[in-house]
Structure formats: C-alpha cells, structure tokens
Amino acid sequence: MRLSRYFLPLLKETPSEAQIVSHRLMLRAGMLRQEAAGIYAWLPLGHRVLRKIEEIVRQEMDRAGAVELLMPTLQLADLWRESGRYDDYGAEMLRITDRHERDLLYGPTNEEMITEIFRAYVRSYKALPLNLYHIQWKFRDEQRPRFGVMRGREFLMKDAYSFDLDEAAGKAAYNRMFVAYLRTFARMGLKAIPMQAESGPIGGELSHEFIVLAQTGESAVYLDRRILELPTPGEDVDYGGDLEPIVADWTGRYYAATEDVHDPERFAQTAETDRVTARGIEVGQTFFFGDKYSRPMKALVSGPDGVDRPVQMGSYGIGVSRLLGAIIEASHDDSGIIWPDAVAPFGVGLISLRPGEVAVDAACEEAYAALTALGKEPLYDDTDDRPGAKFAAMDLIGLPWQLIIGPRGLAEGTVELKRRATGERQIVPLAKALEIIGR
Ligand code: 5CA
C-alpha cells in the first residue's frame, strides 16, 4: 500500500476523552472513530488489525474442530421468551420493533438462536459432538461504555456453542475450547490466564475468564506468579485425545481468581513471594451450562439407548474487538504502538527520505515489490512529509519493521533497517535488509 493513496488520518493532539493508553493510541493512529457512545467506525488501519485477529481466532477454532456459520445480528424476541431471558436481560438489551409491530432485538449473545438452529436439524447422538461458532457484531447497551473498544456497546465477538450427549462429553468439549483459547491468545503475543469465574447471565456452574494482566484492566485479579510460566500447548496438540491434564495444569496447580470469586484464605496458602495482586482485561470467557437452554427450548437428542434427552451445551466467547485494546495495553511505548508480528496491520513501513529522486524512487520500488512478493505487506511512505514526521508516524502506528531509504545511504550502497520493538538499527545493503525481514 502506498501511503499517498491510503486513508490514515493521524491525530497530532491527544484526544481528551481517551483515558487509557490503548484508546488514545487507537485514535491518534487513525484506527478508530467514535460515532456515538461505545459505537465506532473502524478506519482502514484498525480494520486491518481487526481482520488479522479474527483470522487467528478462526484458525484456532477450526483446528479445535469447531465449524463456522454466521447468524444475523437481529433476533426475534419470541425466541428469547422461550428461554425466559427476554425479560431477565434488562436494560442492556437493545429492543427494536419492526413495521409489523414485531418485537426484535439486537443480539447481545446467541445461545437461544443456536439452540433453535440445532433443534431444527439434529435429533441423534450420531451428529455429536458438534461445535458451531460465528464471528459477529453484538450490541449491549452498557451503562458506562468506556475505554474505547474495551467496553463498547457495539463490539465484535467470536461465540462458539458446543453440543454433546452427556456431561462427560460436554466437559471434553469445554476442554477443547479451553486449550484453543490458550493457543489463540498466545499467537497474538498475549499471556491470557484462565481464572475461575462467575457465569452471570449466561448461566452454569463451570466458567473461566481469560485475563490479560494490565494496569488499566477493569477487574482486580489475584494469582500465583508461577502460572505465568506454564507452557502454551503447541500446534501439534491432539484435540482428539484427553486434554484434561493440560486443563488441570492451568486450573488446579496455581491460584488465579478474579475479585468476584476471590478467596483470601486460599490465596494466603500461596507463598508470599509468589502472590501477585494485579488488574486484568477479560479477553474471553468459557461456560458450561448443561441443559439451561436445551431443556426449556426442547432441543432433544436420542442416545444409543433410543431415549431422548436435552443436549448438553457450553458457550465460549472471545472479545475480538476488545483484543485490539488489550494487545496495545500490553505492547506500546512512549512513541506509540508496538504490534506483535502476527497481528500487525502491515509488516513493514517503507520510508522514502527523498521521493522524486530517481535513485531513491528506484530502490524504494524494488524494495516494495520484493516485500510484497515476500508476503510482508509493506506500507510505503511515498509522501512529501519531512523525515522527522515520517519517523514519528511509523513509530506511532507501530509496524514491526521500518525500512528507511535515502540518497546518502544509497550512495554507499546501504539502507537502514529498524526493529520497532527494540529500536535496534542496522545499516546494510538492501538485499541483506530484505533477507533479515524475510527470516
Ligand atoms: N455467550 C457467551 C459466550 S459465547 C458470552 O456472551 N460471553 S461474555 O459475555 O463473556 O462475552 C464474551 C467476551 O466478549 C468477553 O469475554 C469480552 O472479551 C467480550 N465483551 C463482552 N462485553 C463487551 C463489551 N461491552 N465490549 C467489548 N467486548 C466485550
């Protein structure tokens, strides 16, 4: 992408309404624009990151055996009357009436709709286990939308729903999602710690929140620091096998709890030097709630014994749009964002120090073509801005590499390569710079 043809409206001033660093940086870096309280337009740079995060989530869901579909944002109120949640959900639900006076709502979550889809088609245990997921916008009329994408009213969620014949199989399905979550967040450069949690309006006894530690997090958390050292399951993890040992490692060995369920007495059993009190951002939550929806909604399956019973269900959410904020909170410095490679909107910022000068233009074009061919998605700053402004802009938007090409270096056969995360600079021939980036 050539910057002269792109839409990257950077802000010079720090917007006064933004209270936390991720919100400030997303506004300054031209990623996001507020259209109403808690409702945002995703500008091109923000949209690219959103899509990258979504893709990682999708790949790990698919790897764990979940199947993608897409449900609508609008739902019939009657569906929610079947489960009894229409009235329970309260003021957070955005209720809408269509021209025929039918009650609709903008979905805050999809347990009812997925149960309706399941019961329409599945009758037998032979179709199980089944896990269906989608990545779709949700609306919750939060009392205090704040911190930008962290607590929006309209936000993008991945929500998966598991269906099993009995509780044991349901727990195995829960474990598959649990492991997939460990992998998903690690791939984004995040350390997300599963913590025992309350299930709130979704329901059920078994629930974990996946929490990224950050000073600006909304909830207080208590943990044994040794949980931070546990290894993330690799790509070769066997989703067909028994995952209980991995889940037990993460849930049974070390203390980790949010303030809602914190137990000071149990926490006191952790050695004082290992005790950490911190704040955290909830990037995902998993629930197992058995037949809470399938029983009232009559989603029945017959087992090998021919007897019908309500299907056992769980649901598994990831805050896809919230993750942008969480990643920036975890990875930035005074100059701006530092994107982990896996979610960076572009891989390399290619900076021309003298657009219009034949040799510089030629070297930049060569680099641009080579980087594109390498799949590194360069953003080529071919504008007439001063070098200082270009450097500041690249630092702000936080691409992993900066490749700087100017007349003086070229006269000596070199370019400058900067790694955003460390600030390390190398003066090398262009071919060498390309080799380093391509590694
Ligand atoms: N149906 C279940 C799981 S599929 C569910 O709705 N779970 S949830 O309420 O915990 O939401 C899932 C994830 O969405 C949360 O972990 C959080 O990361 C994200 N989320 C929830 N509310 C908001 C919000 N107002 N703004 C941004 N992200 C949110």
Side-chain angles (χ1 to χ4, degrees), residues 59 89 103 196 201 329 355 379 410:
Q59 286 171 7
Y89 220 90
D103 294 333
Q196 197 194 329
E329 291 294 327
L379 178 64
L410 281 184

Side-chain angles (χ1 to χ4, degrees), residues 6-7 9 26-27 30-33 41-48:
Y6 200 49
F7 183 63
M26 287 183 80
L27 294 173
M31 298 175 68
L32 201 66
R33 177 166 181 80
W42 293 80
L43 302 179
L45 194 75
H47 185 240
R48 282 181 81 97

Side-chain angles (χ1 to χ4, degrees), residues 198-209:
E198 280 183 338
S199 62
I202 307 292
E205 295 288 311
L206 176 62
S207 181
H208 289 92
E209 288 177 3

Side-chain angles (χ1 to χ4, degrees), residues 109 111 140 142 149-152 155 157 159-161 202 282-285 287 315-319 322:
T109 175
E111 279 81 5
R140 293 182 185 174
E142 302 274 355
V149 297
M150 292 286 193
R151 186 160 293 279
F155 60 96
M157 191 199 287
D159 37 327
Y161 302 87
I202 307 292
E282 178 203 317
V283 289
Q285 186 164 2
F287 305 83
S315 76
Y316 314 89
I318 288 182
R322 176 180 284 185

Side-chain angles (χ1 to χ4, degrees), residues 326-378:
I327 292 169
I328 296 173
E329 291 294 327
S331 185
H332 67 270
D333 63 14
D334 289 344
S335 307
I337 303 168
I338 304 173
W339 289 116
D341 292 73
V343 299
F346 296 94
V348 184
L350 173 60
I351 300 176
S352 170
L353 293 179
R354 195 74 62 80
E357 192 165 311
V358 178
V360 177
D361 285 353
C364 285
E365 291 297 338
E366 184 190 339
Y368 186 71
L371 290 168
T372 305
L374 281 172
K376 291 290 167 185
E377 302 178 299

